[in-house]
Amino acid sequence: MAYQLYRNTTLGNSLQESLDELIQTQQITPQLALQVLLQFDKAINTALANRVRNRVNFRGSLNTYRFCDNVWTFVLNDVEFREVTELVKVDKVKIVACDGKKVQLLPTLTFDNKIHR
Amino acid sequence: MLTDTGPVAKLYLSIIDDVIDSVRELFLDEGVEDRVLDDLRHLWESKVMQSKAMEGLRKNTNPSNFVLQLPASYTQTDQELTASVVIPGNQNIRSFPVKNNSETLATFSLPAGLAYPVQIPAGVTLQTASGQLYKVNVPVVVTQAPVGQQPATQAMQKVTEWREASAPQPPAIPPNPIPPHEVETSSVPAQSVTQPKTILPSSQEGSLPLQSTEPDFPQEENEPNPQPNLSTTASPCTQLLDFQIRREEALAQMAQSRDIDDILKEVIEEEREKAERAKKLAPVESDSQSEATLGLDLDYSYSQFSDIVQLDGPAGNSDLEEEEEVPLEENDFLGIINAEAMKALQEGNESSDGNSISTSSDGEGADELANIEEEDPLNSGDDVIEQDIPDLFDTDNVIVCQYDKIHRSKNRWKFHLKDGVMCYGGRDYVFSKAVGEAEW
């Protein structure tokens, strides 16, 4: 099971919207839509791990930080993102980061799985 | 260089391909037709394309890319054009490479995801990639509006004359000698000079000059336009995008050649109609409730239907009601407050006054609550922040990634992140590694 983290991206949201439209018109079942999303999770995790090779630096001021359920959430202000080619500045950015170590089994079901583990 | 939208777009498309291929079997197992899978793919791709994050892809592939060609004398003001540009409907907008040719022309293309409004000074000739030329005689501000909505009315004091070249001109030809050939697709050009007022749905205006070349766009949207659309100097070209076709219906239904004034009038009329309907359908007491839900209290008829009693003095019944038949709204509200306060006291007191008030106000209790609800919209002007919060979240720049290591030393934080998708400044980026520092 891959992280469902990437569902809240442009790509993921547009997929969810499209699936919702098809569900509305009853062309697919919600169960099938869920399967598609799971497949999307796998595909995007794989793609990011294998097909992306670049590095970004950034610097800013930390407004808030939160660490809950092994997920870090930061809100930074006045951030500069620096890549080799260009520099982008933004007033506010939110960073949501899951644990990058080997993905644990069924991270979304940890509560239910405590017996099984 | 994954900050280029091109590579990001390619990555996204490859992910889409992977997902679609891998769910094909799932779809077949479920007995869902392949057509549905194609629909999903098209929907998904179109949504991603439409998002500003994919601007680069459009720039490269869309032949109808909107290109601004400026006379050489304009080169000084190039920087102005890089101001945010709003194209209605979140169309794919190309990036803005500003090339200052040593020759007479400088070429711009509207960047995707540019922040609007864009100021286009006078004397600019805009040319679509298809060769259509538009000469801007008056400085124009292009503002962004969501599809189907009215463009911002800010600073729309200027009139833009759109002139359509009779034939596509090669880019080498300076724009000045181009004979303007007015295409009377609607009354816009004729009225553009006489009516300096502007604000039309940019989509409608934008499709006007393109009618001769883009038969796909219906003329009906343009016919009702009595006034030029000042805010859409750039929109015609952007209208060429698929988005226009998809949103035709929505646009046609939306404001058609309406001023903001007209729209306000319509809204007011709608509210009045609702109020009237409510009056007809319900007795007096429930009228005030239904009116309360309308939110807008446009006329004083409200007071005629409410039994609000001003209880400044001793508990009054019908006397006060009659007296307050024609009070000003302010008194009504004061009456509401007082009535509510009295009601609260009534619950604690069993005095005769309280009882009499309760009997008269029980029936009015609903009214009072409704009145107070109506009161809130008036007071809601004090709370502007609440309305802004959702907007703030909408424009939130988000990075979704995984962390390798998060380190803190006193108030200095260091982030080591990986495999992330970033969205900021309206564009999408990806990274395999990111390192950052911040002070808390």
Side-chain angles (χ1 to χ4, degrees), chain B residues 109-287:
Chain B
S109 56
L110 288 178
L114 278 190
Y116 299 88
V118 163
Q119 284 192 346
I120 300 180
V124 172
T125 297
L126 311 177
Q127 183 188 28
T128 62
S130 62
Q132 295 302 322
L133 285 166
Y134 305 92
K135 184 171 181 184
V136 179
N137 292 338
V138 179
V140 170
V141 175
V142 179
T143 58
Q144 184 178 23
V147 175
Q149 292 187 10
Q150 296 291 329
T153 62
Q154 303 168 2
M156 299 310 256
Q157 298 296 328
K158 298 158 187 171
V159 175
T160 300
E161 267 189 342
W162 287 101
R163 308 226 176 244
E164 195 169 324
S166 57
Q169 300 289 335
I173 296 179
N176 291 331
I178 294 172
H181 172 73
E182 259 187 71
V183 176
E184 297 285 342
T185 57
S186 75
S187 58
V188 172
Q191 296 180 355
S192 63
V193 178
T194 59
Q195 297 183 7
K197 270 171 60 171
T198 57
I199 293 184
L200 288 174
S202 57
S203 59
Q204 298 178 4
E205 188 59 26
S207 56
L208 282 176
L210 300 173
Q211 287 177 355
S212 63
T213 57
E214 295 290 339
D216 291 341
F217 295 93
Q219 297 229 0
E220 53 218 14
E221 290 181 0
N222 303 321
E223 288 169 3
N225 284 346
Q227 296 175 358
N229 189 350
L230 297 180
S231 64
T232 59
T233 56
S235 62
C237 302
T238 61
Q239 299 299 329
L240 293 173
L241 301 171
D242 296 340
F243 189 83
Q244 169 69 19
I245 297 174
R246 292 191 202 95
R247 302 287 180 177
E248 273 177 0
E249 295 178 358
L251 292 173
Q253 294 169 4
M254 295 296 290
Q256 292 182 0
S257 68
R258 291 188 296 185
D259 265 358
I260 288 220
D261 292 337
D262 292 341
I263 292 173
L264 287 175
K265 285 178 194 166
E266 285 194 23
V267 170
I268 292 173
E269 285 170 11
E270 284 176 9
E271 293 295 334
R272 288 183 185 275
E273 287 171 8
K274 286 182 195 171
E276 289 176 8
R277 269 183 254 129
K279 292 173 194 173
K280 290 172 192 168
L281 291 174
V284 171
E285 290 184 359
S286 56
D287 279 348

Side-chain angles (χ1 to χ4, degrees), chain B residues 284-317:
Chain B
V284 171
E285 290 184 359
S286 56
D287 279 348
S288 59
Q289 290 179 11
S290 57
E291 286 182 5
T293 59
L294 294 180
L296 281 182
D297 191 15
L298 297 170
D299 48 30
Y300 296 97
S301 62
Y302 157 82
S303 62
Q304 301 171 6
F305 295 91
S306 67
D307 291 331
I308 297 172
V309 178
Q310 186 166 1
L311 302 175
D312 289 328
N317 299 331

